[in-house]
Amino acid sequence: MTATAATAPTTSAAAADRRTSSAGEIADELCAVVCDSLRRRDQREKARRYVRGLLSTPGRKSFRNMAGDISGTASEQSLHHFVTGSTWAWQPVRAALAGCLEAAAGPPPAWVAQPMAIPRSGAHSVGVEHRFDPHRERMFRGQQAFGTWFTSAGVVTPVGWELLLPGSSYEESAVGAVLATVRRAGGAAARPVVLDIRGIGTRSTMNRFAEAGVPVVARVAAGVGAGAGAGAGAGNRFLVRDAAVPGFGGGERGPAEILRSVKALGTPVEWTDAGGAARSSWAVGVRVMMPDPAVARRRELLLVGEWGAGAGGPAAELVGMWVTDLVRMPVGAVVRLTKGGLRVEAVAGASGRAVGLRDYSGRGLGGWHRHVTLASVAHAAVALAGLERDPRA
């Protein structure tokens, strides 16, 4: 017993070293491709070392901590300048990362866009405000970021980011960020986006995605979301388009009212949660239209409602409402697409911490973008190595 107890930590440490080494080797391969747009060889080498530092440095990924962990090969000042004072463009790196992920993991069934709150107590970091987080429905002080995540069967990792700045529109920042990401992804751009962001499943958002030619499944709010942005939820009124459904011809109605009136027409839907467990919901879909003054923009959409399932029927609480232009997709398939948001949330809270997605505290917006871009490369290496952390662990 004594011998076993004595050797267990060593064995565990060796296994951890092997896992880190595996992710580091993949990171080197990724950096060789995704950092090719950096003009100078020394910049490409600094990017590789930065990504390696994000993977190997324990705890917070500050410039000081990382400089001390990269075997004395980089000073704190050098790392700081490379991220905050350099002028290399992060957009080509993100586009190349998306291409590498698709080549390695196969095409994603959907992109998932989700907000990420970054608590900050200081007053000098870029984008810091006292604000409302609609995703978690609470106030906090810090930064509000929007991430666009690549989600395939075996890989969940971010490829695009935007930071909400003081005075900017919550909805515009989120929508603009995800559309920019899928455009840069090239061939993957036509795949649907799961817009798992409360308060922006509005007529203007649906029109923006339609104009861009990008299919979307957007979370719908029942009403105006406090602090989520001007008009959030206010435009969520629908006309029922199915003559066989209650409310047809009855004018504009709220999404919850429509869905509850057809709850009995729903069906059970099986899906898998972020921890791999089988789950079941009760779901129903209704053909609707968002009223629009411009006749050319009026089109049929599918409004989907989800309830928890139990004892063969729906629970009392409506747990999710979504609207999509994928009107021919079965309701069960739409619900399963939306569960990508659960995977993203679990991974962002575990592996995301491990590579320092939230750890940049500099003052400049460019520095923030360069940091989260390289942190996304590190995260992709972790994901491709199969080391994403189980949230139950």
Side-chain angles (χ1 to χ4, degrees):
M1 179 179 293
T2 304
T4 302
T7 58
T10 303
T11 302
S12 176
D17 287 344
R18 285 194 296 272
R19 289 194 297 270
T20 301
S21 175
S22 173
E25 291 169 2
I26 293 173
D28 288 348
E29 295 173 4
L30 279 175
C31 287
V33 178
V34 305
C35 296
D36 187 59
S37 60
L38 276 65
R39 292 176 296 174
R40 301 200 312 268
R41 180 182 298 177
D42 66 304
Q43 288 180 320
R44 296 191 290 273
E45 177 59 17
K46 286 178 181 178
R48 186 191 70 82
R49 290 177 179 174
Y50 195 90
V51 171
R52 276 285 198 155
L54 291 169
L55 290 170
S56 63
T57 303
R60 188 169 178 273
K61 320 300 180 187
S62 67
F63 295 123
R64 177 174 297 177
N65 291 344
M66 289 172 60
D69 193 68
I70 311 177
S71 305
T73 58
S75 68
E76 178 182 352
Q77 183 178 6
S78 175
L79 288 177
H80 187 277
H81 176 75
F82 175 66
V83 171
T84 65
S86 187
T87 58
W88 59 269
W90 58 84
Q91 298 92 337
V93 177
R94 295 177 183 178
L97 177 60
C100 284
L101 288 167
E102 184 165 5
W111 299 96
V112 174
Q114 198 172 89
M116 184 173 75
I118 308 172
R120 287 272 184 269
S121 57
H124 301 297
S125 296
V126 60
V128 171
E129 279 190 322
H130 192 66
R131 63 176 89 238
F132 180 78
D133 179 6
H135 196 67
R136 290 170 178 79
E137 299 185 330
R138 63 173 181 244
M139 298 297 296
F140 79 105
R141 179 172 179 77
Q143 299 161 315
Q144 178 67 73
F146 301 104
T148 304
W149 293 67
F150 179 101
T151 61
S152 69
V155 171
V156 178
T157 192
V159 293
W161 291 98
E162 187 59 273
L163 189 66
L164 180 63
L165 299 177
S168 298
S169 161
Y170 186 94
E171 181 171 347
E172 174 58 32
S173 295
V175 172
V178 68
L179 286 177
T181 296
V182 297
R183 286 192 191 106
R184 283 194 294 265
R191 297 191 179 94
V193 169
V194 175
L195 205 58
D196 189 16
I197 303 175
R198 296 181 187 274
I200 69 169
T202 63
R203 184 177 67 203
S204 60
T205 289
M206 299 304 289
N207 287 341
R208 284 281 303 279
F209 275 86
E211 290 162 4
V214 179
V216 63
V217 183
R219 186 181 285 277
V220 176
V224 177
N236 294 336
R237 305 289 292 178
F238 298 91
L239 297 170
V240 175
R241 298 288 291 165
D242 189 341
V245 170
F248 177 76
E252 300 176 18
R253 301 168 68 195
E257 180 186 359
I258 293 173
L259 290 168
R260 290 188 179 112
S261 72
V262 296
K263 181 179 179 182
L265 304 177
T267 184
V269 175
E270 303 295 327
W271 49 277
T272 304
D273 68 14
R279 303 291 184 187
S280 179
S281 295
W282 184 270
V284 66
V286 184
R287 297 286 185 98
V288 297
M289 183 181 73
M290 280 184 169
D292 197 303
V295 176
R297 289 201 298 258
R298 296 175 189 171
R299 65 193 190 284
E300 198 166 76
L301 302 168
L302 184 67
L303 178 65
V304 176
E306 180 189 4
W307 290 261
E317 183 182 2
L318 183 62
V319 298
M321 298 186 295
W322 303 82
V323 63
T324 179
D325 48 13
L326 297 168
V327 293
R328 293 183 176 85
M329 181 174 282
V331 169
V334 174
V335 171
R336 282 187 284 272
L337 270 185
T338 69
K339 299 308 175 183
L342 298 179
R343 295 177 67 199
V344 166
E345 191 165 3
V347 168
S351 301
R353 279 195 299 272
V355 299
L357 282 175
R358 296 175 174 85
D359 285 354
Y360 181 76
S361 57
R363 299 187 182 189
L365 181 61
W368 182 85
H369 274 291
R370 293 184 188 94
H371 170 82
V372 294
T373 297
L374 295 177
S376 296
V377 176
H379 195 285
V382 170
L384 291 170
L387 302 178
E388 287 177 345
R389 298 186 178 184
D390 187 331
R392 300 170 299 177

